[in-house]
Amino acid sequence: MTRIIVLLKDVVDLNELKIDPNTRRPRVEGVKRRISEVDKRALEAAIRLKEQGGGEIASLSIGGGKTRTAMLEALAMGADAAYIVNDEALEGIDTLATSKVLKVALEKIGDYDLILCGEMTLDSLSSQVGPRLAELLDLPQVTYAKKLEITGSDLRAERDLEDMDEIVEVGLPALVSVVREINEPRIPSLMNIMKAKRKPTEEWDSSSLGLSPEEVRSWSSVEVLKVEAPLVERKRIAIKAETVEEAAVKLAEAILSEGVMEG
Amino acid sequence: MTSNNVLVFSEDREIGFQLLAKGREFADKLGGEVYALVVGLGVTGAHEHFEYGADKVYVIDEARLAHFEVVPYREAVLKAVGEAEPHVLLIGATKRGKELAARVAAALDTGCMTECVGLELDEEGRLKAERLTYGGSSISTQVSNKEPHIATVRSRVFEKMVPSKKEGEAVKLDLKVPESRVRIVERKEKTKGDMGLEEAPVIVSAGRGFKEKDDLKLLEEIAEVLDAKIGCTRPIAADLGWMEEWIGISGHKIAPKLYVACGVSGTIQHAAGIRDSQIIVSINSEEGANIHELSDYSIVGDLYAVLPALTKALKEKLK
């Protein structure tokens, strides 16, 4: 039976993220958190593999107090179990520390045939955790997958690179990261959402993993000094008129008055 | 303890030259040298790296390195790192470069900052970077605390130096290339058409407001009047396949004098790609669409009516 672990990160809902106009800092507190879009597609890919060839899917996340709620969606979609490393003391750790914590968590979870993740999460955009984990676990990696299939103990994937599509094969176990375009994730039915609450969810803190927060923080080597939205002053002029033609003329005049059409 | 040197690598030669310029700046500040690594089979033109600022060029030329594969190339980079013991390692942030940099960083047990849009060394010699975050809506200023300091940088963030007549001798490094457990079955080359977006002074783009591929004709008409290049948002290219590439944080970052977004909602990711436009104009039928916030001028209206009218109005005025 194919045992698949999907790395899922809950991130701030980017559609609801607002920038504080005074400090220019993104207002993160209180904003709804959801599974990062590309990670969700990794989960959908796992579910389709399970539907085709059988298997078991567990999600693994490093998160906080709201992660359990966010992961209900994963369970509703089709994950069989959710594992969450929930420790406030780990907030803000970098990709190096994150991948090491994930490695320890995986050792606790046990055997797997495949680790799936999104090519990047949409909050920090690092694209590192998958390959880092593959390195730590000495696993072959297949990144930027837009098509996936498993036959026996082999995985076949089509990789989306800038200048070519590369079709590859690798023996399991392996780590695969997917691109956003691999699929459209399903929307779970109400019944599945209800069932999700009864699926096993385990939450661990650092000590459950045999780690001390100080130790983990010492692994973190990249420090965020500040986060600020760039200062962009747009005119935000709404062109209005009685008719489309009039509005179009007004807009044409505005464009030409800006002098951007010269040279 | 590392040296004061900088090592630069990209499987894309042009990006390598661009990174050398930054590497040169850092090496001068550190009182060290900048090295370029070139990897492949039958490597030629390594000397060009001297012309673009390298003090030394390492060449690893092996049969199994003919095509990029992440584990063999990881070994090549680690070999060069072992030789140069760089304080800073810069890698081009192509897709291959990013997966490579992450694996190298993990192997070296050090940090890595991805797709940096700005880089500098602080007073203590730590690498400080500016990166897009929160989908591209914000800029994160970060600092790396461990050596070697690794950063990946996309094409065109830095400008390569004006080539000089500098010469040097390439140093060949031998490498026992490991077998890759990933087997390449087929390579389907993509026709990499140059959409010319980065240099275009005027760009018009299509978003999901367009219902059919044939409707892009409306865009072509205004593009002709404005002498503009045509672009689109990610879903138009990646999901619908109407164009090959898109404008946005994961695609092209543009800086035209004029950008006209038609039927584009204005996601954070798209916003990150158009931020440097001088004037942004948008047409979107939804009053609450984010694109209006991002624009200098916007019309809330149906693009199927507004675009032809705008094309006509512009044609009249530009006669």
Side-chain angles (χ1 to χ4, degrees):
Chain A
M1 178 166 71
T2 317
R3 195 141 184 256
I4 306 175
I5 311 277
V6 186
L7 304 180
L8 299 178
K9 185 179 182 189
D10 66 309
V11 300
V12 171
D13 187 336
L14 291 176
N15 293 322
E16 291 188 18
L17 187 68
K18 295 269 181 273
I19 307 288
D20 183 307
N22 298 316
T23 62
R24 294 201 340 255
R25 276 190 231 117
R27 279 206 213 110
V28 180
E29 307 74 35
V31 178
K32 186 160 188 205
R33 298 184 76 84
R34 16 176 96 252
I35 298 172
S36 175
E37 275 306 311
V38 194
D39 290 358
K40 210 192 272 195
R41 284 152 165 80
L43 174 60
E44 175 65 33
I47 296 166
R48 291 186 194 188
L49 287 173
K50 176 183 164 187
E51 283 170 347
Q52 280 154 25
E56 206 179 73
I57 301 171
S59 69
L60 171 58
S61 316
I62 297 181
K66 295 193 180 160
T67 307
R68 194 181 185 114
T69 308
M71 291 312 141
L72 278 176
E73 190 181 8
L75 295 169
M77 280 173 67
D80 301 296
Y83 295 96
I84 300 170
V85 178
N86 176 3
D87 193 333
E88 242 173 47
L90 300 185
E91 213 184 295
I93 56 173
D94 74 347
T95 52
L96 172 56
T98 298
S99 53
K100 286 181 166 180
V101 171
L102 287 172
K103 177 181 177 203
V104 175
L106 282 165
E107 281 158 10
K108 201 170 161 78
I109 291 174
D111 289 327
Y112 48 82
D113 301 293
L114 175 63
I115 301 176
L116 274 175
C117 59
E119 69 154 304
M120 66 167 76
T121 55
L122 298 179
D123 53 354
S124 52
L125 308 166
S126 297
S127 301
Q128 289 184 34
V129 172
R132 275 186 180 274
L133 196 52
E135 181 68 17
L136 293 177
L137 299 170
D138 191 27
L139 286 176
Q141 76 192 37
V142 174
T143 51
Y144 315 113
K146 62 178 178 181
K147 272 201 199 128
L148 270 187
E149 76 185 328
I150 293 183
T151 23
S153 60
D154 267 359
L155 178 138
R156 190 176 174 114
E158 190 166 326
R159 302 179 62 214
D160 181 24
L161 297 172
E162 295 98 325
D163 56 344
M164 64 176 68
D165 287 336
E166 203 178 68
I167 301 181
V168 301
E169 266 172 13
V170 67
L172 298 176
L175 183 142
V176 174
S177 76
V178 308
V179 290
R180 181 193 279 262
E181 286 78 27
I182 189 171
N183 57 45
E184 275 301 316
R186 68 197 59 201
I187 297 173
S189 67
L190 199 51
M191 172 110 101
N192 287 327
I193 295 171
M194 301 302 296
K195 281 197 201 158
K197 296 183 183 150
R198 285 179 269 140
K199 289 185 178 177
T201 301
E202 276 206 56
E203 279 190 81
W204 298 321
D205 61 7
S206 315
S207 57
S208 333
L209 294 177
L211 298 169
S212 80
E214 294 74 40
E215 184 184 7
V216 177
R217 301 204 73 83
S218 76
W219 294 335
S220 191
S221 60
V222 173
E223 207 186 305
V224 175
L225 299 178
K226 76 173 177 196
V227 177
E228 226 172 53
L231 190 62
V232 173
E233 287 148 354
R234 290 288 169 195
K235 295 179 183 172
R236 297 207 185 107
I237 296 173
I239 305 268
K240 293 191 167 117
E242 291 284 312
T243 66
V244 169
E245 286 70 29
E246 279 169 27
V249 168
K250 268 189 176 174
L251 181 52
E253 281 167 357
I255 290 173
L256 292 170
S257 73
E258 289 287 350
V260 288
M261 290 306 304
E262 280 119 45
Chain B
M1 206 38 236
T2 56
S3 64
N4 291 326
N5 303 326
V6 178
L7 178 64
V8 157
F9 173 73
S10 180
E11 85 287 355
D12 179 312
R13 197 158 274 221
E14 272 304 304
I15 301 178
F17 296 149
Q18 293 161 16
L19 298 182
L20 273 176
K22 198 55 162 174
R24 171 87 272 151
E25 179 195 311
F26 286 167
D28 290 345
K29 185 165 182 186
L30 295 166
E33 297 192 313
V34 58
Y35 306 152
L37 169 64
V38 184
V39 178
L41 171 65
V43 171
T44 56
H47 63 273
E48 270 191 283
H49 293 79
F50 291 111
E51 292 165 21
Y52 285 105
D55 294 306
K56 195 188 298 193
V57 179
Y58 291 117
V59 174
I60 303 183
D61 193 325
E62 303 282 345
R64 284 215 221 109
L65 297 173
H67 298 282
F68 180 97
E69 289 178 86
V70 74
V71 166
Y73 272 59
R74 175 202 70 196
E75 285 308 293
V77 173
L78 290 178
K79 176 87 189 201
V81 167
E83 290 289 318
E85 290 184 338
H87 182 70
V88 172
L89 169 61
L90 300 178
I91 295 179
T94 57
K95 282 184 159 178
R96 294 172 173 99
K98 287 191 291 184
E99 64 165 343
L100 173 68
R103 261 198 112 124
V104 166
L108 294 172
D109 197 33
T110 187
C112 180
M113 297 183 287
T114 309
E115 293 198 17
C116 303
V117 296
L119 279 178
E120 64 182 58
L121 289 171
D122 74 3
E123 323 73 46
E124 287 143 58
R126 298 180 305 173
L127 188 62
K128 206 163 122 184
E130 283 187 326
R131 304 181 48 236
L132 294 180
T133 188
Y134 287 119
S137 64
S138 313
I139 294 186
S140 171
T141 305
Q142 310 182 339
V143 69
S144 152
N145 285 308
K146 262 182 142 187
E147 290 168 311
H149 301 278
I150 304 181
T152 61
V153 180
R154 284 178 72 169
S155 177
R156 293 169 203 257
V157 169
F158 301 131
E159 246 183 74
K160 59 187 180 187
M161 289 163 59
V162 175
S164 71
K165 289 254 181 289
K166 196 160 149 203
E167 283 178 5
E169 240 187 80
V171 174
K172 262 203 120 196
L173 296 178
D174 288 322
L175 180 70
K176 195 158 181 288
V177 185
E179 279 280 359
S180 173
R181 285 172 286 181
V182 178
R183 300 180 295 277
I184 301 184
V185 170
E186 194 188 335
R187 286 193 172 88
K188 298 194 276 187
E189 296 217 356
K190 291 177 179 170
T191 39
K192 205 176 183 196
D194 186 10
M195 284 170 78
L197 293 172
E198 271 81 4
E199 299 88 15
V202 185
I203 299 175
V204 301
S205 76
R208 283 209 126 119
F210 281 83
K211 303 197 188 73
E212 309 272 330
K213 187 176 180 184
D214 283 340
D215 299 342
L216 291 178
K217 230 186 329 221
L218 294 176
L219 202 66
E220 284 161 27
E221 280 162 15
I222 192 171
E224 203 182 337
V225 173
L226 292 173
D227 194 19
K229 284 273 188 278
I230 294 178
C232 65
T233 59
R234 183 167 181 160
I236 298 291
D239 288 326
L240 296 171
W242 293 356
M243 292 189 215
E244 274 170 25
E245 293 161 12
W246 63 87
I247 296 166
I249 191 177
S250 60
H252 291 276
K253 298 214 186 88
I254 57 173
K257 291 194 183 154
L258 173 66
Y259 177 67
V260 184
C262 310
V264 170
S265 63
T267 61
I268 285 178
Q269 292 89 345
H270 186 69
I274 65 174
R275 182 170 292 140
D276 295 331
S277 308
Q278 202 176 311
I279 293 290
I280 296 179
V281 169
S282 60
I283 304 166
N284 188 299
S285 55
E286 270 187 57
E287 198 162 347
N290 194 47
I291 193 75
H292 299 306
E293 297 290 306
L294 305 172
S295 306
D296 294 289
Y297 301 98
S298 67
I299 288 187
V300 175
D302 179 4
L303 71 91
Y304 286 90
V306 176
L307 253 189
L310 181 59
T311 303
K312 182 164 175 228
L314 284 167
K315 220 181 205 169
E316 283 294 307
K317 296 198 179 287
L318 287 170
K319 259 209 286 235

